[in-house]
Amino acid sequence: MSTLIVTAFITMDGVMQAPGGRGEDVDEGFAHGGWQVPYVDDDFMRLMTGTFERTDHLLLGRKTYDIFAAHWPRITDENNPIAVKLNAMPKYVASRTRDSLEWNNSHLLKGDAAESIAQLKEQLDGVIMTQGSSDLIRTLQQHDLVDEYRLLVNPVILGTGKRLFAEGAAPVAWKLTESRATGVGVQYCVYERAGKPEYGSFMLDEQE
């Protein structure tokens, strides 16, 4: 059985939309496209390289797949570890509109996405990672399929946009297992599942 990980670039207020540029979110006209670009430094790239090195399978929604498939196959530099890894690893795509996939080693998930991904987790070994794909991540959250989050929290607040966590996610407790900061203040945090949330109350003294 595999471990399903969500890697996300988010703002301090939890927005994960369009980290790479306006063109990534042209359909919805997000005014803050490209917000993440100024926070990419050598530390950030080392973190991302390590993240992909520890990944065995990639799970993507259709929009993110189209963006990746248009870019990474053209990067043939053997000294680019992210390109080498992405072009070689198995990729699974949840899409209702795609009939075929051109990128090397890509596989189309048909039928109900949650059911297909649950089956995929049972069938595969190692780590399955999804990145971007906000609609897909919502599905994973609603069906309690996420085992780990790798969050890169950027020191910016936008006040609008698609948030990583929204109404409808299954209640789950998490534990912080790794944390470090990049040179420009991006906080990299890894959270693993810690069972169900526990609840309590603050016992305040009654005031006369």
Side-chain angles (χ1 to χ4, degrees):
M1 184 171 178
S2 58
T3 299
L4 200 157
I5 291 172
V6 169
T7 295
F9 313 143
I10 63 173
T11 65
M12 290 172 61
D13 54 339
V15 173
M16 62 169 293
Q17 188 178 23
R22 293 177 184 272
E24 288 189 14
D25 200 31
V26 66
D27 292 343
E28 300 189 28
F30 188 51
H32 301 289
W35 59 265
Q36 204 270 330
V37 175
Y39 300 101
V40 175
D41 61 1
D42 289 343
D43 289 342
F44 182 95
M45 293 309 300
R46 279 191 288 269
L47 286 171
M48 290 310 302
T49 299
T51 293
F52 283 111
E53 287 176 347
R54 301 194 304 274
T55 300
D56 302 295
H57 315 273
L58 199 60
L59 172 65
L60 300 171
R62 194 266 304 168
K63 283 187 178 181
T64 304
Y65 176 84
D66 287 348
I67 293 167
F68 279 25
H71 174 73
W72 289 109
R74 297 186 290 110
I75 309 301
T76 57
D77 182 0
E78 294 183 356
N79 294 315
N80 186 322
I82 294 179
V84 170
K85 184 73 174 187
L86 284 175
N87 286 321
M89 78 166 67
K91 294 163 281 283
Y92 299 89
V93 184
S95 173
R96 293 188 178 91
T97 58
R98 278 279 201 160
D99 295 320
S100 61
L101 302 170
E102 297 78 24
W103 193 9
N104 177 57
N105 215 5
S106 295
H107 310 275
L108 188 64
L109 297 178
K110 298 181 179 180
D112 180 81
E115 291 182 4
S116 297
I117 293 165
Q119 292 174 4
L120 199 65
K121 287 184 65 176
E122 292 285 344
Q123 295 167 359
L124 299 177
D125 294 321
V127 170
I128 304 173
M129 185 180 77
T130 187
Q131 182 179 338
S133 307
S134 59
D135 291 340
L136 176 59
I137 289 174
R138 296 280 168 80
T139 297
L140 299 176
Q141 291 170 340
Q142 290 167 358
H143 291 83
D144 199 18
L145 292 171
V146 180
D147 299 304
E148 181 178 307
Y149 285 97
R150 297 173 184 167
L151 305 182
L152 292 103
V153 185
N154 294 255
V156 61
I157 293 173
L158 299 182
T160 185
K162 293 179 182 176
R163 285 168 169 76
L164 175 60
F165 300 101
E167 293 289 338
V172 181
W174 301 88
K175 61 180 179 180
L176 180 67
T177 60
E178 184 180 351
S179 178
R180 67 182 91 163
T182 71
V184 293
V186 175
Q187 191 71 34
Y188 174 70
C189 301
V190 178
Y191 292 92
E192 295 179 358
R193 293 179 69 105
K196 294 182 179 180
E198 297 182 1
Y199 304 98
S201 63
F202 292 101
M203 303 300 294
L204 301 178
D205 294 335
E206 293 185 5
Q207 302 294 315
E208 295 183 359

